[in-house]
Amino acid sequence: RNRRLGTPGYTGPSMPEIIFLGTGTSNGIPVIGCGCDVCRSTDPRDRRTRTSALVRYEGHSVLIDTATELRAQALANDVRRVDAVLMTHAHADHTGGFDDLRRFNELQGAHIPVYADPGTASMLRERYAYTFTDLFPFYGGKPDLLLHEIDGPFELFGREIVPIPVLHGRLPITGFRFGDLAYITDAKEIPAPSLDLLRDLDVLVLNGLRVRSHPTHLSFSEAVEIVQTVRPRLTYLVHLSHETGHAEAERLVGAGIEIAWDGLVVTTRDG
């Protein structure tokens, strides 16, 4: 792994680097009360917290979603800085760690911008209104956040971020593209215009829940079809359920597709 932000002398990668903070579905793995082979697995790659990631470039750290285990994920990966947050949608497994952002406010002594599509932004305002209001004359007592609604590409720390609309069942949610890296989670359908936004990628992150079909998530075979359509150099699947272990999932998806695990670090070629 590369040295973490916060380590003396480290300014971060110039090319986008992604840390997979969590790669599991909404239950996490192991699942409470389950004795299946995957939940009892001794392979550390089968222990999955809720899906979230950190993208780093040019000394900045951009968090994608605030998973339920954000505190534990930050400790496990020595994350000491979050300069911005991108929210894909407002489901509980992707927002449950929202309050833990306050520690990064305290460490950095500054407000943190949060970017979300209008529907997600509305739900965040409803659930976490206190995070967008200045109540205390100090940082750390609560999250101090600046909410930005997005409806198209925007600049963040010198790079263009391209929102990618996808469908999570009937719910429209947002993926994101950073140069040659794109991140999609919780998709069931990727419309044709969004598929066009996923072409010419070095690294694609895509959800793949399980072998069986699911009404709101891509199955392994559906994820493979998308990969064969947009043809990235490498693909990493996230948001796995406990129905398939890591080693078996790798065998099922075939060459050119990897199964991500919690703590994996990948640096893109960026052209």
Side-chain angles (χ1 to χ4, degrees):
R1 296 188 185 187
N2 295 302
R3 291 184 293 167
R4 302 294 185 209
L5 285 178
T7 303
Y10 180 54
T11 59
S14 59
M15 295 180 289
E17 173 187 88
I18 184 168
I19 303 175
F20 293 90
L21 300 178
T23 57
T25 190
S26 57
N27 283 315
I29 303 172
V31 176
I32 294 172
C34 182
C36 75
D37 289 344
V38 177
C39 287
R40 292 185 293 108
S41 171
T42 58
D43 186 339
R45 299 171 300 178
D46 284 330
R47 301 190 70 85
R48 300 181 183 275
T49 56
R50 268 58 79 94
T51 292
S52 180
L54 191 75
V55 176
R56 306 191 301 188
Y57 58 90
E58 302 293 352
H60 296 285
S61 294
V62 179
L63 180 65
I64 304 178
D65 288 340
T66 57
T68 309
E69 298 93 345
L70 177 56
R71 175 181 172 274
Q73 293 173 345
L75 290 170
N77 293 279
D78 197 20
V79 178
R80 305 183 186 189
R81 185 172 191 89
V82 171
D83 295 295
V85 183
L86 308 182
M87 301 300 298
T88 63
H89 62 301
H91 281 171
D93 53 319
H94 294 263
T95 61
F98 209 66
D99 191 78
D100 287 329
L101 292 172
R102 61 181 176 152
R103 175 56 178 159
F104 298 105
N105 289 125
E106 184 176 14
L107 288 170
Q108 294 156 216
H111 286 62
I112 296 173
V114 176
Y115 297 83
D117 63 66
T120 301
S122 177
M123 287 183 273
L124 292 175
R125 286 193 190 96
E126 180 180 345
R127 298 178 196 173
Y128 301 105
Y130 70 98
T131 70
F132 305 113
T133 304
D134 291 336
L135 298 178
F136 308 123
F138 61 90
Y139 290 109
K142 69 170 193 65
D144 283 300
L145 309 175
L146 303 171
L147 185 58
H148 301 273
E149 293 189 14
I150 55 174
D151 59 4
F154 59 99
E155 184 186 4
L156 189 59
F157 310 127
R159 280 187 176 268
E160 182 183 59
I161 310 299
V162 180
I164 302 174
V166 300
L167 290 173
H168 183 22
R170 296 180 180 178
L171 176 68
I173 68 172
T174 304
F176 298 96
R177 177 167 180 163
F178 308 71
D180 283 352
L181 166 69
Y183 184 96
I184 303 289
T185 185
D186 285 39
K188 175 63 176 180
E189 179 185 347
I190 302 181
S194 294
L195 286 174
D196 289 339
L197 295 175
L198 295 176
R199 299 186 189 277
D200 302 317
L201 286 171
D202 186 50
V203 174
L204 170 63
V205 179
L206 184 65
N207 62 292
L209 184 71
R210 63 191 189 191
V211 174
R212 294 187 297 129
S213 180
H214 189 276
T216 63
H217 291 273
L218 293 170
S219 66
F220 290 164
S221 62
E222 290 168 335
V224 169
E225 287 181 10
I226 289 171
V227 172
Q228 291 173 342
T229 298
V230 299
R231 302 180 65 82
R233 184 180 70 88
L234 282 175
T235 299
Y236 292 86
L237 295 189
V238 297
H239 214 284
L240 274 71
S241 79
H242 66 143
E243 292 193 14
T244 312
H246 184 97
E248 176 67 6
E250 283 194 326
R251 185 187 68 79
L252 289 170
V253 298
I257 301 177
E258 306 280 346
I259 305 299
W261 67 86
D262 290 22
L264 174 65
V265 180
V266 176
T267 301
T268 72
R269 291 179 176 177
D270 202 30

